[in-house]
Amino acid sequence: MKRKQPITPVRRTAPTVPAVRRESPRGSRRRAVIAVAGAVLVLVLVGGVALRYFSGAGGPVFEHRLDENVLLITIDTLRADAVGAYGGLARTPNLNRLAAAGLRFESAHAHAVTTLPAHASLLTGLYPTQHGIHDNNGYRLSPKVPTLASRLKAQGFATGGFVAAFPLDSRFGLTTGFDVYDDRYPGTSGGREFVLPERRGDAVVAAASAWIGAQRGRWFAWVHLFDPHAPYRPPAPFDREYANSPYHGEVAYSDSVLSALLSAATGAAGGRPTLVIVTGDHGEGLGDHGEATHGLFAYESTLRIPLIVAQFPAGGPAWDAGAAPVPAAGGRVVHAPVRHVDIVPTVLDVLQLPSAQDLPGRSLLAAVNTRSDEETASYFEAMSASLNRGWAPLRGVVVGREKYIDVPIPELYDLTADPREAANLVDRAPDRLRALDLTLRGIPASAAAADRRAADPETSERLRALGYVSGNAAPKTRYTEADDPKRLVGIDQDIHRAVDLYQRGRPADAVPIYQKMLAAHPTMEIAYAHLSMLQWELGDPASAIVTLRAALAAGVDSVAIRTKLGTYLAESGHGSDAIPILRDAVSGDFPDLDALNALGIAQARAGRVEEATASFRRILDLSPSHAMALENLGSIALEKEQYDQARAFFARALDSDPSSAQAHNGLGVVELKAGNRKGAIEHWKRAVAGDPTNFYALYNVAVELVNDGRPDAARPYLERFARTAPPALYAADVRRVQAMLARW
Ligand SMILES: [Zn+2]
C-alpha cells in the first residue's frame, strides 16, 4: 500500500489555522505575580509624616544594598483584591509571607490592561505613550529603548527572563538586555484568538530556578507566570478547592509554585542579598462593569494590581516553604499611590545606580516617605478594542484618589469613597474634570515612539486611521457616544460567549454569533477573524476564504486578515494565489512572523522551496527559537531527503515546544527512513496525542501499524481518520482509508 505523503510540508501557522484543541495546552498555566524582595530600602520610615501612610507595625524597611540580586516576578491577570494579603479569596501563603517580610502597596496601578504593553512599561519604566506599544499584536519594542535588563547588564549583572506565554514571545522585543530569554511554551493547534499558548507555572519556575542556581555573580531574573489568565483551569487540588471560583484557584496555584522560586533565589550561592518585587501586569474583570476578562475597560478590577517588595539579607535562611503561615494582613502597608513605572527607578535607587532622568516614575523609597495626598499622576490606557474593533480609544489618569477616564462619555470617580466606580461624578465636578483632562494632555509622549511606528508602516497606518498619532493627541471628534466601549460591551460579551462555546467543543454554535455581529457591524475585524477560523475548523475552507475576502472588500485590511487568507489559500492548494497577498504583509524591518511563516508555507506549496527556506530563516533571524519555523525547515529538509538536517531541526523545535505535534510527525518519518518503524510509530502516537487534528500523523500511524502486521491496533486510528479528517482537504486519503476499512 502506498504510504501517504509522510509530512505536512510545512506547518500551518497556529494563529491562522483553526484546529480542534479544546483544552488548554497540556500542563500550561501562567502566573503573574511580582514581588520585590531582598532589596534594601533606604526607607526612612521615621517621623510623623511617613507614619501616616503605613498600617501594621514592625517589619524591615527598605534600604540601599549595592550588592543585591534582583528578582522580578510578574503574575499575569492578577487582580489585587484576589490575593490573600489584599483581603482576597485565594489562599496565597507565599505572597502573604513576602508582604509580611516587606512592603505591600495598597494603591498600585498598571498603565495598560493587556500583557505586552503592561510588561513593556514594567521593564522600561516608560508609559505606553513613550515606549509605543499599545496592544499585544502589531508592535515590537525598539532595541534602542533601555530596559531594566540592559541597565543592570551594563553594571555586570547576569540577566535572565523566563516567560510563560505567547504575548511575551521574544518576537515582541522585550529581550533587550537579557543574556537568556526563555520563551519556550507549548504551541497550540487552535487559533491564538481562542487559546493562547502558555507554559505552566511550575515549568517556568523550574527553568528560572535552575538558571538562578547556576549564577555565581550578581543576577537579575524576571519570571512571568500566566496561570490566572483565562481559561481558568486550576490543577488539582486547586480545581476542587476552588470549584466555584476557578480564577481564584489559578491564583492560589500560582502562589504555590513561588515556594521553589523564592527558595532558589534566597538560598543562591554567592552570599548576596536579594531584592524581590512581585506584581501583576493587570487584573481581571470577573464580570465587574460587564467585563468578563480584561482589555476592554480600565476600571480598578483590571487596572489596580498588587505590588509587594521585600529584601532578603545575605546569608540569611533560605525561603522555607514549610514555615508557619503568617496572618494575611502582616507587614507594612503603603497607601501612597504608586505605579508600574516606579519599579525601574526603585531598583536603580536600591542598588545606588545612577538614576535615569528621562523616566516618568520615581523610586518607591520616595513613595514610602511621601504623604499619600501628594498628587502623583498615573497614566493609563485600554487601546485594544480601538485598534482591533475601531471603538473609541480609552485613556485616562489616576491622580491621588481621583480617576478620570477619557472616552466619549467621560467618567470621573473618587476611589476613596467609591472604590467600585459606581458613581460617575462628571456632572457634579466639572472643574475637576477640566483639571484632570489637562493633566492627561500633559502626559509625556516620546518622539522615539513615533519613530518606531514609522519603522512599521502597517501599524503606523492603522494608528493614523484611528486618529491616534502621538499618544496624547488623539482627536476625539471622530468618535461619538455610540463608539464608547460602555455602549459596546454587549458585543464584547457576545465574543466571550462564542469563545466559550468553542472551548467547550461547540464551534458550530459560535458561527451564528459572528454572522449576526457582522450584519450589524460590517467593519469589525475580530468577527471576520474568528468566523473564518471557525469555518476552517469545521472543515469548510471555501467559506473561510469567502469570509476573509469579504473583510478585504469591506475595507478591513490588516496583516492578520491577510495572514489568515494567505494561509487558508495555501493550505487548500492555492499557494500561488496566496503569495501576493502575503508579500505585502511582510515588508519592513520587523515583519509579522505569522505572516512570514504563512508566506513560507505558500512558497513551499507553490514549489518555490528556496524562497520558502529564505522566509523561514528570516523568522529565525528575528526569533531564534521559533518552533514553527524550525518545524518547517525540518519538513523541507525531509522533502529533500536530508534526514540528519531534518532530525536536527525537529529536535530544536521540540526544545522550544516540547509538545510540538509537527516535530513528532517529522521525527516519525525520519525514524521510518532509518528503518526504525517502532520508533516512528511512537513519535506519531505522540503527535496525535498532542494534536488530534494532525491528520498526517494520524494517517501515518494507522498505515504503519497495518504494515507492521497489527491491523487491530491500526483500526481505531483508521476509523478516527475516516471520521474526523475534513473531506475538503483530505478527500483522496479518506476514500483510501474507507476502502481499507471496508475490506475487513
Ligand atoms: Zn496579561
Side-chain angles (χ1 to χ4, degrees):
M1 166 187 329
K2 183 171 173 284
R3 192 158 49 82
K4 166 185 181 141
Q5 178 68 7
I7 51 168
T8 336
V10 249
R11 177 176 174 180
R12 307 167 286 188
T13 63
T16 38
V17 180
V20 189
R21 172 168 284 165
R22 296 192 176 105
E23 296 171 352
S24 74
R26 283 145 312 133
S28 50
R29 314 242 91 88
R30 262 183 206 188
R31 313 185 165 151
V33 175
I34 293 180
V36 175
V40 183
L41 303 178
V42 177
L43 243 210
V44 192
L45 298 184
V46 235
V49 177
L51 286 179
R52 201 176 140 198
Y53 307 103
F54 293 89
S55 56
V61 294
F62 254 156
E63 45 185 50
H64 292 124
R65 286 186 192 161
L66 309 187
D67 60 341
E68 195 155 63
N69 297 320
V70 179
L71 172 61
L72 171 65
I73 304 171
T74 59
I75 301 180
D76 217 283
T77 318
L78 185 61
R79 182 174 159 144
D81 66 6
V83 175
Y86 285 78
L89 266 185
R91 195 160 38 80
T92 55
N94 285 301
L95 290 176
N96 298 355
R97 284 179 59 208
L98 214 47
L103 296 167
R104 179 168 75 74
F105 292 86
E106 179 67 20
S107 177
H109 284 100
H111 311 296
V113 287
T114 49
T115 306
L116 180 64
H119 278 91
S121 288
L122 274 161
L123 291 172
T124 63
L126 297 169
Y127 285 134
T129 50
Q130 299 175 297
H131 58 59
I133 296 179
H134 301 281
D135 191 17
N136 283 348
N137 291 307
Y139 297 93
R140 179 186 169 95
L141 183 65
S142 163
K144 289 181 221 140
V145 178
T147 65
L148 185 54
S150 66
R151 291 177 192 277
L152 295 181
K153 186 176 168 62
Q155 300 294 328
F157 281 71
T159 51
F162 303 85
V163 304
F166 175 73
L168 301 178
D169 189 278
S170 57
R171 73 180 67 180
F172 300 119
L174 300 189
T175 48
T176 304
F178 283 105
D179 300 328
V180 170
Y181 193 90
D182 179 347
D183 60 353
R184 293 171 297 172
Y185 44 79
T188 167
S189 54
R192 267 182 222 136
E193 295 90 342
F194 289 79
V195 180
L196 284 169
E198 61 172 295
R199 170 163 56 154
R200 228 171 88 146
D202 50 0
V204 180
V205 161
S209 301
W211 182 85
I212 288 170
Q215 302 309 311
R216 290 299 170 265
R218 286 197 297 179
W219 51 264
F220 162 57
W222 163 41
V223 180
H224 166 248
L225 306 178
F226 195 72
D227 304 81
H229 194 281
Y232 316 130
R233 291 171 184 148
F238 304 98
D239 53 348
R240 282 187 305 279
E241 187 177 347
Y242 294 90
N244 296 321
S245 181
Y247 167 76
H248 292 90
E250 293 275 33
V251 172
Y253 167 73
S254 300
D255 181 276
S256 75
V257 303
L258 293 181
S259 298
L261 179 61
L262 292 167
S263 299
T266 56
R272 289 189 176 78
T274 309
L275 167 65
V276 181
I277 302 173
V278 185
T279 190
D281 60 342
H282 52 75
E284 187 76 325
L286 301 178
D288 291 355
H289 303 271
E291 184 176 32
T293 58
H294 58 268
L296 182 61
F297 296 136
Y299 294 113
E300 293 293 274
S301 333
T302 60
L303 196 67
R304 178 178 171 236
I305 34 77
L307 175 62
I308 297 170
V309 180
Q311 289 178 300
F312 294 90
W319 190 260
D320 178 4
V326 301
R332 287 188 186 278
V333 181
V334 182
H335 295 279
V338 298
R339 309 159 289 181
H340 271 167
V341 293
D342 296 330
I343 288 174
V344 171
T346 302
V347 174
L348 299 179
D349 187 13
V350 166
L351 297 171
Q352 290 283 274
L353 299 174
S355 63
Q357 296 301 332
D358 49 342
L359 298 181
R362 60 174 187 166
S363 170
L364 292 173
L365 299 191
V368 168
N369 293 308
T370 296
R371 306 175 64 90
S372 66
D373 50 2
E374 183 163 304
E375 296 207 333
T376 306
S378 186
Y379 169 81
F380 63 82
E381 64 176 38
M383 296 298 296
S384 298
S386 181
L387 292 164
N388 299 317
R389 305 178 194 175
W391 300 0
L394 185 158
R395 287 167 301 131
V397 280
V398 177
V399 178
R401 296 295 291 162
E402 285 181 310
K403 183 169 177 180
Y404 164 53
I405 305 173
D406 178 23
V407 278
I409 306 165
E411 295 165 69
L412 176 64
Y413 299 104
D414 173 351
L415 296 178
T416 301
D418 178 24
R420 301 190 67 82
E421 297 157 288
N424 186 354
L425 303 176
V426 158
D427 294 332
R428 275 180 272 168
D431 50 328
R432 290 310 302 154
L433 190 70
R434 271 192 300 278
L436 291 166
D437 195 60
L438 267 180
T439 304
L440 175 59
R441 304 293 144 201
I443 292 294
S446 116
D451 289 348
R452 286 196 292 283
R453 284 191 203 113
D456 180 353
E458 182 73 25
T459 302
S460 180
E461 222 164 80
R462 277 170 84 192
L463 289 168
R464 239 177 272 123
L466 290 161
Y468 187 85
V469 179
S470 72
N472 60 351
K476 222 167 44 171
T477 47
R478 289 177 49 93
Y479 300 99
T480 67
E481 293 191 354
D483 302 312
D484 192 303
K486 291 190 287 296
R487 290 278 169 88
L488 297 164
V489 68
I491 295 172
D492 199 62
Q493 289 161 350
D494 285 344
I495 292 171
H496 276 100
R497 197 155 51 84
V499 170
D500 184 60
L501 284 166
Y502 172 87
Q503 287 174 345
R504 287 192 283 126
R506 297 167 52 193
D509 295 339
V511 166
I513 295 175
Y514 291 113
Q515 286 169 333
K516 205 173 138 203
M517 203 180 289
L518 284 173
H521 306 274
T523 59
M524 196 170 304
E525 178 178 338
I526 190 174
Y528 288 108
H530 285 197
L531 176 59
S532 64
M533 196 189 111
L534 291 166
Q535 290 165 326
W536 177 268
E537 179 154 333
L538 288 164
D540 185 2
S543 293
I545 288 167
V546 165
T547 296
L548 293 168
R549 289 207 186 276
L552 293 179
V556 180
D557 189 352
S558 70
V559 170
I561 293 288
R562 282 174 175 265
T563 300
K564 256 188 202 317
L565 178 56
T567 304
Y568 292 172
L569 283 169
E571 288 281 322
S572 56
H574 306 93
S576 305
D577 296 347
I579 291 171
I581 289 168
L582 291 164
R583 273 254 163 73
D584 287 351
V586 300
S587 58
D589 290 342
F590 298 118
D592 183 274
L593 298 192
D594 296 328
L596 201 48
N597 192 52
L599 176 62
I601 292 170
Q603 288 162 331
R605 292 274 199 264
R608 293 152 72 164
V609 175
E610 296 316 312
E611 289 171 40
T613 302
S615 293
F616 298 132
R617 291 218 175 259
R618 203 170 148 211
I619 295 176
L620 293 185
D621 287 344
L622 293 161
S623 181
S625 59
H626 194 280
M628 277 188 280
L630 290 165
E631 292 160 13
N632 290 337
L633 286 166
S635 295
I636 285 176
L638 212 48
E639 294 240 308
K640 292 179 169 173
E641 305 190 345
Q642 296 166 342
Y643 299 117
D644 288 345
Q645 228 186 71
R647 190 193 294 274
F649 278 125
F650 289 130
R652 280 172 65 193
L654 277 183
D655 187 48
S656 260
D657 174 3
S659 75
S660 164
Q662 191 58 27
H664 278 300
N665 184 42
L667 284 170
V669 178
V670 171
E671 291 300 337
L672 191 74
K673 291 288 178 184
N676 177 9
R677 180 182 281 152
K678 200 162 177 289
I681 288 173
E682 214 35 61
H683 275 298
W684 289 326
K685 281 184 174 171
R686 290 175 71 175
V688 174
D691 175 7
T693 68
N694 193 313
F695 297 108
Y696 293 98
L698 187 57
Y699 186 96
N700 289 340
V701 70
V703 171
E704 283 309 317
L705 282 168
V706 172
N707 290 345
D708 202 33
R710 296 154 65 189
D712 289 348
R715 190 171 185 93
Y717 290 103
L718 290 167
E719 285 172 349
R720 198 163 124 198
F721 185 87
R723 195 176 62 245
T724 58
L729 297 172
Y730 301 90
D733 302 319
V734 170
R735 277 196 301 275
R736 208 174 302 131
V737 165
Q738 281 167 340
M740 288 166 66
L741 285 166
R743 282 201 297 273
W744 291 337

